[in-house]
Short mmCIF file of all heavy atoms in Angstrom, two decimals:
data_model
loop_
_atom_site.label_atom_id
_atom_site.label_comp_id
_atom_site.label_asym_id
_atom_site.label_seq_id
_atom_site.Cartn_x
_atom_site.Cartn_y
_atom_site.Cartn_z
N MET Y 48 -121.73 76.65 102.54
CA MET Y 48 -122.98 76.28 103.16
C MET Y 48 -124.11 76.51 102.15
O MET Y 48 -124.19 77.54 101.53
CB MET Y 48 -123.19 77.19 104.35
CG MET Y 48 -123.70 76.65 105.63
SD MET Y 48 -123.35 75.03 106.14
CE MET Y 48 -123.00 75.34 107.83
N LYS Y 49 -125.00 75.53 102.04
CA LYS Y 49 -126.15 75.64 101.15
C LYS Y 49 -127.41 75.55 101.99
O LYS Y 49 -127.39 75.01 103.10
CB LYS Y 49 -126.13 74.53 100.11
CG LYS Y 49 -124.94 74.63 99.16
CD LYS Y 49 -125.00 73.53 98.12
CE LYS Y 49 -123.81 73.63 97.18
NZ LYS Y 49 -123.89 72.63 96.11
N THR Y 50 -128.51 76.07 101.44
CA THR Y 50 -129.76 76.06 102.18
C THR Y 50 -130.88 75.48 101.33
O THR Y 50 -130.88 75.61 100.11
CB THR Y 50 -130.18 77.47 102.63
OG1 THR Y 50 -130.42 78.28 101.48
CG2 THR Y 50 -129.11 78.12 103.50
N MET Y 51 -131.82 74.84 102.00
CA MET Y 51 -133.07 74.37 101.40
C MET Y 51 -134.15 74.54 102.47
O MET Y 51 -133.86 74.47 103.67
CB MET Y 51 -132.99 72.91 100.96
CG MET Y 51 -132.09 72.68 99.77
SD MET Y 51 -132.12 70.96 99.17
CE MET Y 51 -133.51 71.07 98.02
N THR Y 52 -135.37 74.73 102.01
CA THR Y 52 -136.48 74.89 102.96
C THR Y 52 -137.21 73.56 103.15
O THR Y 52 -137.09 72.64 102.33
CB THR Y 52 -137.49 75.93 102.48
OG1 THR Y 52 -138.12 75.45 101.29
CG2 THR Y 52 -136.84 77.28 102.24
N CYS Y 53 -137.98 73.53 104.20
CA CYS Y 53 -138.84 72.38 104.47
C CYS Y 53 -139.73 72.12 103.24
O CYS Y 53 -139.86 70.98 102.79
CB CYS Y 53 -139.67 72.68 105.71
SG CYS Y 53 -140.88 71.44 106.19
N LYS Y 54 -140.32 73.18 102.67
CA LYS Y 54 -141.19 73.02 101.50
C LYS Y 54 -140.43 72.44 100.31
O LYS Y 54 -140.98 71.62 99.58
CB LYS Y 54 -141.82 74.36 101.10
CG LYS Y 54 -143.00 74.74 101.94
CD LYS Y 54 -143.63 76.02 101.43
CE LYS Y 54 -144.78 76.43 102.34
NZ LYS Y 54 -145.31 77.74 101.96
N GLN Y 55 -139.20 72.88 100.09
CA GLN Y 55 -138.42 72.35 98.97
C GLN Y 55 -138.22 70.84 99.10
O GLN Y 55 -138.05 70.15 98.10
CB GLN Y 55 -137.03 73.01 98.90
CG GLN Y 55 -137.03 74.40 98.31
CD GLN Y 55 -135.64 74.98 98.33
OE1 GLN Y 55 -135.11 75.32 99.39
NE2 GLN Y 55 -135.05 75.09 97.15
N LEU Y 56 -138.24 70.36 100.33
CA LEU Y 56 -138.01 68.94 100.58
C LEU Y 56 -139.31 68.16 100.76
O LEU Y 56 -139.31 67.03 101.21
CB LEU Y 56 -137.12 68.78 101.82
CG LEU Y 56 -135.71 69.37 101.63
CD1 LEU Y 56 -135.02 69.52 102.97
CD2 LEU Y 56 -134.90 68.50 100.69
N GLY Y 57 -140.42 68.79 100.38
CA GLY Y 57 -141.71 68.11 100.46
C GLY Y 57 -142.48 68.39 101.73
O GLY Y 57 -143.53 67.80 101.95
N GLY Y 58 -141.95 69.28 102.56
CA GLY Y 58 -142.60 69.60 103.82
C GLY Y 58 -143.65 70.69 103.69
O GLY Y 58 -144.12 70.99 102.60
N ALA Y 59 -143.97 71.30 104.83
CA ALA Y 59 -145.12 72.20 104.87
C ALA Y 59 -144.80 73.63 105.28
O ALA Y 59 -145.70 74.45 105.34
CB ALA Y 59 -146.16 71.63 105.84
N CYS Y 60 -143.53 73.94 105.56
CA CYS Y 60 -143.24 75.30 106.03
C CYS Y 60 -141.98 75.85 105.37
O CYS Y 60 -141.34 75.18 104.56
CB CYS Y 60 -143.12 75.32 107.55
SG CYS Y 60 -141.63 74.53 108.21
N ASP Y 61 -141.66 77.07 105.73
CA ASP Y 61 -140.52 77.76 105.13
C ASP Y 61 -139.27 77.73 106.00
O ASP Y 61 -138.35 78.51 105.78
CB ASP Y 61 -140.90 79.21 104.82
CG ASP Y 61 -141.97 79.32 103.74
OD1 ASP Y 61 -141.88 78.57 102.75
OD2 ASP Y 61 -142.90 80.13 103.90
N LEU Y 62 -139.23 76.83 106.97
CA LEU Y 62 -138.04 76.70 107.81
C LEU Y 62 -136.85 76.40 106.91
O LEU Y 62 -136.93 75.55 106.01
CB LEU Y 62 -138.21 75.57 108.84
CG LEU Y 62 -137.02 75.36 109.77
CD1 LEU Y 62 -136.85 76.55 110.71
CD2 LEU Y 62 -137.21 74.09 110.58
N VAL Y 63 -135.74 77.09 107.14
CA VAL Y 63 -134.54 76.93 106.31
C VAL Y 63 -133.54 76.01 107.01
O VAL Y 63 -133.23 76.20 108.19
CB VAL Y 63 -133.88 78.31 106.04
CG1 VAL Y 63 -132.58 78.15 105.27
CG2 VAL Y 63 -134.85 79.21 105.28
N PHE Y 64 -133.06 75.03 106.26
CA PHE Y 64 -132.01 74.14 106.73
C PHE Y 64 -130.71 74.56 106.05
O PHE Y 64 -130.72 74.84 104.85
CB PHE Y 64 -132.32 72.68 106.38
CG PHE Y 64 -133.66 72.22 106.86
CD1 PHE Y 64 -134.66 71.91 105.94
CD2 PHE Y 64 -133.95 72.10 108.20
CE1 PHE Y 64 -135.90 71.49 106.35
CE2 PHE Y 64 -135.20 71.67 108.63
CZ PHE Y 64 -136.17 71.36 107.71
N GLU Y 65 -129.61 74.57 106.78
CA GLU Y 65 -128.30 74.90 106.23
C GLU Y 65 -127.34 73.75 106.47
O GLU Y 65 -127.26 73.24 107.58
CB GLU Y 65 -127.72 76.13 106.95
CG GLU Y 65 -128.04 77.43 106.33
CD GLU Y 65 -127.29 78.57 106.99
OE1 GLU Y 65 -126.10 78.41 107.31
OE2 GLU Y 65 -127.91 79.62 107.17
N ALA Y 66 -126.60 73.37 105.43
CA ALA Y 66 -125.64 72.29 105.58
C ALA Y 66 -124.66 72.29 104.41
O ALA Y 66 -124.89 72.95 103.40
CB ALA Y 66 -126.35 70.94 105.67
N GLU Y 67 -123.60 71.53 104.58
CA GLU Y 67 -122.58 71.39 103.53
C GLU Y 67 -122.96 70.32 102.52
O GLU Y 67 -122.58 70.40 101.36
CB GLU Y 67 -121.23 71.04 104.16
CG GLU Y 67 -120.63 72.13 105.02
CD GLU Y 67 -120.19 73.35 104.23
OE1 GLU Y 67 -119.87 73.21 103.03
OE2 GLU Y 67 -120.17 74.44 104.81
N THR Y 68 -123.70 69.29 102.96
CA THR Y 68 -124.04 68.18 102.07
C THR Y 68 -125.54 67.95 102.07
O THR Y 68 -126.25 68.33 103.03
CB THR Y 68 -123.35 66.86 102.50
OG1 THR Y 68 -123.93 66.43 103.75
CG2 THR Y 68 -121.85 67.03 102.64
N PHE Y 69 -126.03 67.30 101.02
CA PHE Y 69 -127.45 66.98 100.96
C PHE Y 69 -127.83 66.00 102.06
O PHE Y 69 -128.92 66.10 102.63
CB PHE Y 69 -127.82 66.39 99.59
CG PHE Y 69 -129.28 66.09 99.50
CD1 PHE Y 69 -130.20 67.12 99.42
CD2 PHE Y 69 -129.74 64.79 99.53
CE1 PHE Y 69 -131.56 66.87 99.37
CE2 PHE Y 69 -131.10 64.52 99.48
CZ PHE Y 69 -132.02 65.57 99.39
N GLU Y 70 -126.93 65.10 102.39
CA GLU Y 70 -127.21 64.13 103.46
C GLU Y 70 -127.46 64.84 104.79
O GLU Y 70 -128.34 64.45 105.56
CB GLU Y 70 -126.07 63.11 103.57
CG GLU Y 70 -125.98 62.16 102.40
CD GLU Y 70 -125.43 62.78 101.10
OE1 GLU Y 70 -124.80 63.86 101.15
OE2 GLU Y 70 -125.65 62.18 100.04
N GLU Y 71 -126.68 65.91 105.05
CA GLU Y 71 -126.88 66.68 106.27
C GLU Y 71 -128.23 67.42 106.23
O GLU Y 71 -128.95 67.45 107.25
CB GLU Y 71 -125.75 67.69 106.46
CG GLU Y 71 -124.41 67.04 106.77
CD GLU Y 71 -123.23 68.02 106.70
OE1 GLU Y 71 -123.35 69.08 106.05
OE2 GLU Y 71 -122.20 67.70 107.30
N ILE Y 72 -128.56 67.97 105.07
CA ILE Y 72 -129.86 68.65 104.91
C ILE Y 72 -130.99 67.65 105.16
O ILE Y 72 -131.96 67.96 105.84
CB ILE Y 72 -129.99 69.26 103.49
CG1 ILE Y 72 -129.11 70.49 103.34
CG2 ILE Y 72 -131.44 69.54 103.12
CD1 ILE Y 72 -129.71 71.80 103.76
N ALA Y 73 -130.86 66.45 104.59
CA ALA Y 73 -131.89 65.43 104.76
C ALA Y 73 -132.06 65.07 106.23
O ALA Y 73 -133.18 64.89 106.71
CB ALA Y 73 -131.55 64.19 103.93
N GLU Y 74 -130.96 64.98 106.96
CA GLU Y 74 -131.03 64.65 108.38
C GLU Y 74 -131.70 65.77 109.18
O GLU Y 74 -132.53 65.50 110.05
CB GLU Y 74 -129.62 64.37 108.94
CG GLU Y 74 -129.60 63.96 110.39
CD GLU Y 74 -130.42 62.71 110.72
OE1 GLU Y 74 -130.52 61.80 109.88
OE2 GLU Y 74 -130.98 62.65 111.84
N LEU Y 75 -131.38 67.02 108.86
CA LEU Y 75 -132.03 68.15 109.53
C LEU Y 75 -133.53 68.14 109.24
O LEU Y 75 -134.34 68.39 110.14
CB LEU Y 75 -131.40 69.47 109.06
CG LEU Y 75 -129.96 69.73 109.49
CD1 LEU Y 75 -129.40 70.94 108.78
CD2 LEU Y 75 -129.87 69.89 111.00
N SER Y 76 -133.89 67.84 108.00
CA SER Y 76 -135.30 67.77 107.63
C SER Y 76 -136.01 66.65 108.39
O SER Y 76 -137.13 66.82 108.87
CB SER Y 76 -135.42 67.54 106.12
OG SER Y 76 -136.76 67.36 105.75
N LYS Y 77 -135.33 65.53 108.51
CA LYS Y 77 -135.90 64.39 109.25
C LYS Y 77 -136.15 64.76 110.71
O LYS Y 77 -137.22 64.46 111.26
CB LYS Y 77 -134.95 63.20 109.15
CG LYS Y 77 -135.42 61.96 109.87
CD LYS Y 77 -134.40 60.85 109.71
CE LYS Y 77 -134.74 59.66 110.57
NZ LYS Y 77 -133.73 58.60 110.46
N GLN Y 78 -135.18 65.43 111.33
CA GLN Y 78 -135.33 65.84 112.73
C GLN Y 78 -136.51 66.81 112.87
O GLN Y 78 -137.31 66.69 113.81
CB GLN Y 78 -134.04 66.50 113.22
CG GLN Y 78 -132.90 65.53 113.39
CD GLN Y 78 -131.59 66.24 113.71
OE1 GLN Y 78 -131.54 67.44 113.93
NE2 GLN Y 78 -130.50 65.48 113.72
N HIS Y 79 -136.61 67.76 111.95
CA HIS Y 79 -137.72 68.72 111.97
C HIS Y 79 -139.05 67.97 111.81
O HIS Y 79 -140.02 68.26 112.53
CB HIS Y 79 -137.52 69.73 110.84
CG HIS Y 79 -138.67 70.65 110.62
ND1 HIS Y 79 -139.11 71.55 111.57
CD2 HIS Y 79 -139.49 70.82 109.54
CE1 HIS Y 79 -140.14 72.22 111.09
NE2 HIS Y 79 -140.39 71.79 109.86
N GLY Y 80 -139.08 67.02 110.90
CA GLY Y 80 -140.29 66.23 110.69
C GLY Y 80 -140.72 65.49 111.95
O GLY Y 80 -141.91 65.44 112.29
N MET Y 81 -139.74 64.94 112.67
CA MET Y 81 -140.05 64.23 113.91
C MET Y 81 -140.62 65.19 114.95
O MET Y 81 -141.57 64.86 115.67
CB MET Y 81 -138.81 63.50 114.44
CG MET Y 81 -138.42 62.35 113.55
SD MET Y 81 -137.05 61.26 114.05
CE MET Y 81 -136.07 62.18 115.15
N GLU Y 82 -140.06 66.41 115.02
CA GLU Y 82 -140.59 67.41 115.95
C GLU Y 82 -142.02 67.78 115.60
O GLU Y 82 -142.89 67.89 116.47
CB GLU Y 82 -139.71 68.66 115.93
CG GLU Y 82 -138.34 68.45 116.54
CD GLU Y 82 -137.42 69.65 116.31
OE1 GLU Y 82 -137.89 70.73 115.87
OE2 GLU Y 82 -136.21 69.49 116.56
N MET Y 83 -142.28 67.98 114.31
CA MET Y 83 -143.62 68.35 113.87
C MET Y 83 -144.61 67.19 114.08
O MET Y 83 -145.77 67.42 114.42
CB MET Y 83 -143.61 68.78 112.40
CG MET Y 83 -142.84 70.05 112.12
SD MET Y 83 -143.49 71.51 112.99
CE MET Y 83 -142.39 71.62 114.41
N TYR Y 84 -144.13 65.96 113.94
CA TYR Y 84 -144.98 64.79 114.20
C TYR Y 84 -145.35 64.76 115.68
O TYR Y 84 -146.51 64.54 116.04
CB TYR Y 84 -144.26 63.51 113.80
CG TYR Y 84 -145.08 62.28 114.07
CD1 TYR Y 84 -146.10 61.89 113.21
CD2 TYR Y 84 -144.86 61.52 115.22
CE1 TYR Y 84 -146.87 60.78 113.47
CE2 TYR Y 84 -145.63 60.39 115.49
CZ TYR Y 84 -146.63 60.03 114.60
OH TYR Y 84 -147.40 58.92 114.87
N GLN Y 85 -144.37 65.00 116.55
CA GLN Y 85 -144.64 64.99 118.00
C GLN Y 85 -145.65 66.08 118.37
O GLN Y 85 -146.46 65.89 119.27
CB GLN Y 85 -143.34 65.18 118.79
CG GLN Y 85 -142.45 63.96 118.73
CD GLN Y 85 -141.09 64.20 119.37
OE1 GLN Y 85 -140.68 65.32 119.61
NE2 GLN Y 85 -140.38 63.11 119.64
N GLN Y 86 -145.58 67.20 117.64
CA GLN Y 86 -146.52 68.30 117.90
C GLN Y 86 -147.85 68.09 117.19
O GLN Y 86 -148.78 68.87 117.38
CB GLN Y 86 -145.90 69.63 117.45
CG GLN Y 86 -144.71 70.04 118.26
CD GLN Y 86 -144.07 71.32 117.74
OE1 GLN Y 86 -144.68 72.11 117.03
NE2 GLN Y 86 -142.81 71.52 118.09
N GLN Y 87 -147.92 67.04 116.35
CA GLN Y 87 -149.13 66.72 115.58
C GLN Y 87 -149.56 67.92 114.73
O GLN Y 87 -150.76 68.23 114.63
CB GLN Y 87 -150.26 66.25 116.50
CG GLN Y 87 -149.99 64.89 117.14
CD GLN Y 87 -149.98 63.77 116.10
OE1 GLN Y 87 -151.01 63.42 115.56
NE2 GLN Y 87 -148.81 63.21 115.82
N ASP Y 88 -148.58 68.57 114.10
CA ASP Y 88 -148.86 69.71 113.23
C ASP Y 88 -149.60 69.22 111.99
O ASP Y 88 -149.06 68.41 111.22
CB ASP Y 88 -147.55 70.39 112.83
CG ASP Y 88 -147.79 71.56 111.92
OD1 ASP Y 88 -148.20 72.62 112.42
OD2 ASP Y 88 -147.58 71.41 110.69
N PRO Y 89 -150.84 69.68 111.78
CA PRO Y 89 -151.66 69.14 110.68
C PRO Y 89 -151.02 69.28 109.29
O PRO Y 89 -151.07 68.35 108.49
CB PRO Y 89 -152.96 69.94 110.77
CG PRO Y 89 -153.01 70.44 112.17
CD PRO Y 89 -151.59 70.64 112.59
N ALA Y 90 -150.44 70.45 108.99
CA ALA Y 90 -149.85 70.66 107.67
C ALA Y 90 -148.68 69.71 107.43
O ALA Y 90 -148.53 69.14 106.35
CB ALA Y 90 -149.40 72.11 107.51
N HIS Y 91 -147.87 69.51 108.45
CA HIS Y 91 -146.73 68.61 108.31
C HIS Y 91 -147.18 67.15 108.25
O HIS Y 91 -146.60 66.35 107.51
CB HIS Y 91 -145.72 68.81 109.44
CG HIS Y 91 -144.86 70.03 109.25
ND1 HIS Y 91 -145.28 71.28 109.62
CD2 HIS Y 91 -143.63 70.17 108.70
CE1 HIS Y 91 -144.33 72.14 109.33
NE2 HIS Y 91 -143.32 71.50 108.76
N LEU Y 92 -148.21 66.81 109.00
CA LEU Y 92 -148.72 65.44 108.95
C LEU Y 92 -149.23 65.11 107.54
O LEU Y 92 -149.01 64.01 107.04
CB LEU Y 92 -149.82 65.24 109.98
CG LEU Y 92 -149.38 65.27 111.45
CD1 LEU Y 92 -150.59 65.19 112.37
CD2 LEU Y 92 -148.38 64.16 111.75
N GLU Y 93 -149.89 66.08 106.92
CA GLU Y 93 -150.37 65.87 105.55
C GLU Y 93 -149.20 65.69 104.59
O GLU Y 93 -149.22 64.79 103.73
CB GLU Y 93 -151.23 67.07 105.12
CG GLU Y 93 -151.83 66.91 103.75
CD GLU Y 93 -152.69 68.10 103.36
OE1 GLU Y 93 -153.27 68.76 104.25
OE2 GLU Y 93 -152.78 68.36 102.15
N ALA Y 94 -148.17 66.52 104.73
CA ALA Y 94 -146.99 66.40 103.87
C ALA Y 94 -146.30 65.06 104.10
O ALA Y 94 -145.85 64.41 103.14
CB ALA Y 94 -146.03 67.55 104.14
N MET Y 95 -146.23 64.63 105.34
CA MET Y 95 -145.59 63.34 105.66
C MET Y 95 -146.36 62.18 105.04
O MET Y 95 -145.76 61.21 104.57
CB MET Y 95 -145.49 63.15 107.17
CG MET Y 95 -144.45 63.99 107.83
SD MET Y 95 -144.49 63.72 109.61
CE MET Y 95 -143.97 65.32 110.18
N ALA Y 96 -147.67 62.28 105.03
CA ALA Y 96 -148.50 61.22 104.43
C ALA Y 96 -148.19 61.09 102.94
O ALA Y 96 -148.11 59.98 102.41
CB ALA Y 96 -149.97 61.51 104.66
N LYS Y 97 -147.98 62.23 102.27
CA LYS Y 97 -147.65 62.19 100.85
C LYS Y 97 -146.29 61.53 100.62
O LYS Y 97 -146.13 60.74 99.69
CB LYS Y 97 -147.66 63.60 100.27
CG LYS Y 97 -149.03 64.20 100.19
CD LYS Y 97 -149.00 65.63 99.68
CE LYS Y 97 -150.39 66.24 99.68
NZ LYS Y 97 -150.38 67.64 99.30
N VAL Y 98 -145.32 61.86 101.47
CA VAL Y 98 -143.99 61.25 101.33
C VAL Y 98 -144.06 59.76 101.63
O VAL Y 98 -143.45 58.95 100.92
CB VAL Y 98 -142.97 61.97 102.25
CG1 VAL Y 98 -141.64 61.21 102.28
CG2 VAL Y 98 -142.75 63.40 101.80
N GLN Y 99 -144.83 59.38 102.65
CA GLN Y 99 -144.96 57.96 102.97
C GLN Y 99 -145.60 57.20 101.82
O GLN Y 99 -145.20 56.07 101.53
CB GLN Y 99 -145.77 57.77 104.25
CG GLN Y 99 -144.97 58.10 105.49
CD GLN Y 99 -145.78 57.92 106.75
OE1 GLN Y 99 -147.00 58.00 106.76
NE2 GLN Y 99 -145.08 57.67 107.85
N ALA Y 100 -146.56 57.79 101.16
CA ALA Y 100 -147.19 57.14 100.00
C ALA Y 100 -146.16 56.94 98.90
O ALA Y 100 -146.12 55.89 98.26
CB ALA Y 100 -148.37 57.97 99.50
N MET Y 101 -145.31 57.93 98.71
CA MET Y 101 -144.25 57.84 97.70
C MET Y 101 -143.26 56.73 98.05
O MET Y 101 -142.75 56.05 97.17
CB MET Y 101 -143.54 59.20 97.60
CG MET Y 101 -142.51 59.28 96.53
SD MET Y 101 -141.74 60.91 96.38
CE MET Y 101 -141.71 61.59 98.01
N MET Y 102 -143.00 56.56 99.33
CA MET Y 102 -142.02 55.56 99.78
C MET Y 102 -142.47 54.13 99.49
O MET Y 102 -141.65 53.22 99.55
CB MET Y 102 -141.74 55.73 101.27
CG MET Y 102 -141.00 56.99 101.61
SD MET Y 102 -140.88 57.18 103.39
CE MET Y 102 -139.13 57.10 103.59
N GLN Y 103 -143.74 53.95 99.18
CA GLN Y 103 -144.25 52.61 98.89
C GLN Y 103 -143.65 52.06 97.60
O GLN Y 103 -143.62 50.86 97.40
CB GLN Y 103 -145.78 52.62 98.81
CG GLN Y 103 -146.45 53.07 100.09
CD GLN Y 103 -146.05 52.26 101.29
OE1 GLN Y 103 -146.06 51.04 101.28
NE2 GLN Y 103 -145.65 52.94 102.36
N ASP Y 104 -143.19 52.96 96.74
CA ASP Y 104 -142.57 52.56 95.47
C ASP Y 104 -141.11 52.96 95.51
O ASP Y 104 -140.78 54.15 95.37
CB ASP Y 104 -143.29 53.23 94.31
CG ASP Y 104 -142.75 52.78 92.96
OD1 ASP Y 104 -141.59 52.33 92.87
OD2 ASP Y 104 -143.51 52.88 91.97
N PRO Y 105 -140.20 52.01 95.70
CA PRO Y 105 -138.78 52.34 95.83
C PRO Y 105 -138.22 53.12 94.64
O PRO Y 105 -137.37 53.99 94.81
CB PRO Y 105 -138.09 50.98 95.95
CG PRO Y 105 -139.16 50.05 96.42
CD PRO Y 105 -140.44 50.58 95.87
N GLU Y 106 -138.71 52.85 93.44
CA GLU Y 106 -138.21 53.57 92.27
C GLU Y 106 -138.63 55.04 92.30
O GLU Y 106 -137.85 55.92 91.95
CB GLU Y 106 -138.69 52.90 90.98
CG GLU Y 106 -138.03 51.55 90.72
CD GLU Y 106 -136.51 51.64 90.60
OE1 GLU Y 106 -136.01 52.56 89.94
OE2 GLU Y 106 -135.82 50.81 91.22
N VAL Y 107 -139.85 55.29 92.71
CA VAL Y 107 -140.34 56.66 92.83
C VAL Y 107 -139.55 57.40 93.91
O VAL Y 107 -139.13 58.54 93.71
CB VAL Y 107 -141.86 56.69 93.13
CG1 VAL Y 107 -142.34 58.09 93.46
CG2 VAL Y 107 -142.64 56.11 91.97
N MET Y 108 -139.33 56.75 95.03
CA MET Y 108 -138.59 57.36 96.12
C MET Y 108 -137.16 57.66 95.70
O MET Y 108 -136.63 58.74 95.99
CB MET Y 108 -138.61 56.44 97.36
CG MET Y 108 -138.03 57.08 98.59
SD MET Y 108 -139.03 58.51 99.09
CE MET Y 108 -137.89 59.30 100.19
N LYS Y 109 -136.54 56.74 94.99
CA LYS Y 109 -135.17 56.93 94.52
C LYS Y 109 -135.10 58.12 93.57
O LYS Y 109 -134.21 58.97 93.67
CB LYS Y 109 -134.66 55.67 93.83
CG LYS Y 109 -133.24 55.77 93.34
CD LYS Y 109 -132.81 54.48 92.67
CE LYS Y 109 -131.41 54.62 92.08
NZ LYS Y 109 -131.02 53.46 91.31
N ALA Y 110 -136.04 58.21 92.65
CA ALA Y 110 -136.07 59.31 91.68
C ALA Y 110 -136.27 60.65 92.41
O ALA Y 110 -135.63 61.65 92.07
CB ALA Y 110 -137.17 59.09 90.66
N TRP Y 111 -137.16 60.68 93.40
CA TRP Y 111 -137.40 61.90 94.17
C TRP Y 111 -136.13 62.32 94.89
O TRP Y 111 -135.72 63.48 94.84
CB TRP Y 111 -138.53 61.66 95.17
CG TRP Y 111 -138.79 62.85 96.05
CD1 TRP Y 111 -139.63 63.89 95.79
CD2 TRP Y 111 -138.22 63.11 97.33
NE1 TRP Y 111 -139.60 64.79 96.83
CE2 TRP Y 111 -138.74 64.33 97.78
CE3 TRP Y 111 -137.31 62.43 98.14
CZ2 TRP Y 111 -138.39 64.89 99.01
CZ3 TRP Y 111 -136.95 62.99 99.36
CH2 TRP Y 111 -137.49 64.21 99.79
N TYR Y 112 -135.48 61.37 95.56
CA TYR Y 112 -134.26 61.66 96.32
C TYR Y 112 -133.18 62.20 95.39
O TYR Y 112 -132.53 63.21 95.70
CB TYR Y 112 -133.78 60.39 97.03
CG TYR Y 112 -132.56 60.61 97.88
CD1 TYR Y 112 -132.67 61.01 99.21
CD2 TYR Y 112 -131.27 60.42 97.37
CE1 TYR Y 112 -131.56 61.21 100.00
CE2 TYR Y 112 -130.15 60.63 98.16
CZ TYR Y 112 -130.30 61.02 99.47
OH TYR Y 112 -129.19 61.24 100.25
N GLU Y 113 -132.99 61.56 94.27
CA GLU Y 113 -131.96 61.99 93.32
C GLU Y 113 -132.26 63.38 92.76
O GLU Y 113 -131.36 64.19 92.58
CB GLU Y 113 -131.79 60.97 92.21
CG GLU Y 113 -131.13 59.69 92.71
CD GLU Y 113 -131.09 58.57 91.68
OE1 GLU Y 113 -131.63 58.74 90.56
OE2 GLU Y 113 -130.52 57.51 92.00
N ALA Y 114 -133.53 63.67 92.51
CA ALA Y 114 -133.91 65.00 92.01
C ALA Y 114 -133.63 66.07 93.06
O ALA Y 114 -133.11 67.15 92.73
CB ALA Y 114 -135.39 65.01 91.62
N LYS Y 115 -133.94 65.79 94.31
CA LYS Y 115 -133.68 66.75 95.39
C LYS Y 115 -132.18 66.94 95.59
O LYS Y 115 -131.72 68.05 95.84
CB LYS Y 115 -134.36 66.32 96.70
CG LYS Y 115 -135.86 66.34 96.63
CD LYS Y 115 -136.38 67.73 96.33
CE LYS Y 115 -137.87 67.76 96.15
NZ LYS Y 115 -138.35 69.09 95.77
N LYS Y 116 -131.42 65.87 95.48
CA LYS Y 116 -129.97 65.96 95.62
C LYS Y 116 -129.39 66.81 94.49
O LYS Y 116 -128.53 67.66 94.72
CB LYS Y 116 -129.33 64.58 95.64
CG LYS Y 116 -127.84 64.63 95.93
CD LYS Y 116 -127.28 63.27 96.19
CE LYS Y 116 -125.84 63.24 96.59
NZ LYS Y 116 -124.98 64.31 96.19
N ARG Y 117 -129.88 66.62 93.27
CA ARG Y 117 -129.41 67.45 92.14
C ARG Y 117 -129.76 68.92 92.38
O ARG Y 117 -128.96 69.81 92.10
CB ARG Y 117 -130.03 66.97 90.83
CG ARG Y 117 -129.34 65.79 90.21
CD ARG Y 117 -129.79 65.53 88.78
NE ARG Y 117 -131.24 65.38 88.63
CZ ARG Y 117 -131.92 64.25 88.82
NH1 ARG Y 117 -131.28 63.15 89.15
NH2 ARG Y 117 -133.23 64.23 88.67
N GLU Y 118 -130.96 69.16 92.90
CA GLU Y 118 -131.36 70.53 93.20
C GLU Y 118 -130.41 71.15 94.22
O GLU Y 118 -129.95 72.27 94.05
CB GLU Y 118 -132.79 70.54 93.75
CG GLU Y 118 -133.33 71.92 94.06
CD GLU Y 118 -134.75 71.89 94.60
OE1 GLU Y 118 -135.45 70.88 94.50
OE2 GLU Y 118 -135.16 72.93 95.16
N PHE Y 119 -130.07 70.40 95.26
CA PHE Y 119 -129.13 70.86 96.28
C PHE Y 119 -127.77 71.13 95.65
O PHE Y 119 -127.15 72.18 95.90
CB PHE Y 119 -129.00 69.82 97.40
CG PHE Y 119 -127.98 70.18 98.45
CD1 PHE Y 119 -128.32 71.03 99.50
CD2 PHE Y 119 -126.68 69.69 98.39
CE1 PHE Y 119 -127.37 71.36 100.46
CE2 PHE Y 119 -125.74 70.03 99.35
CZ PHE Y 119 -126.09 70.86 100.39
N ASP Y 120 -127.29 70.20 94.85
CA ASP Y 120 -125.97 70.33 94.25
C ASP Y 120 -125.88 71.54 93.32
O ASP Y 120 -124.80 72.10 93.14
CB ASP Y 120 -125.58 69.06 93.48
CG ASP Y 120 -125.31 67.88 94.43
OD1 ASP Y 120 -125.07 68.11 95.64
OD2 ASP Y 120 -125.37 66.73 93.95
N SER Y 121 -127.02 71.93 92.73
CA SER Y 121 -127.01 73.06 91.80
C SER Y 121 -127.08 74.41 92.50
O SER Y 121 -126.96 75.45 91.85
CB SER Y 121 -128.17 72.93 90.81
OG SER Y 121 -129.40 73.18 91.46
N LEU Y 122 -127.29 74.40 93.81
CA LEU Y 122 -127.38 75.67 94.56
C LEU Y 122 -126.03 76.37 94.62
O LEU Y 122 -125.00 75.79 94.59
CB LEU Y 122 -127.90 75.42 95.97
CG LEU Y 122 -129.32 74.87 96.07
CD1 LEU Y 122 -129.65 74.52 97.51
CD2 LEU Y 122 -130.32 75.87 95.54
#
């Protein structure tokens, strides 16, 4: 089992996600993000806006994803 925090994944808090694969970590992060969006948490909304801006450029998003996956794999 490996762990990453919301902040490590571009989020706004220190919530820890645990999973066997990066894909599972990404899904847990996505679920947490949806919960924070529903709660309209200001810090998370700001972090989400930054990620959404990054998503406008597929190459930037791909590079970010691959970097986070390498970070996970190195844990």
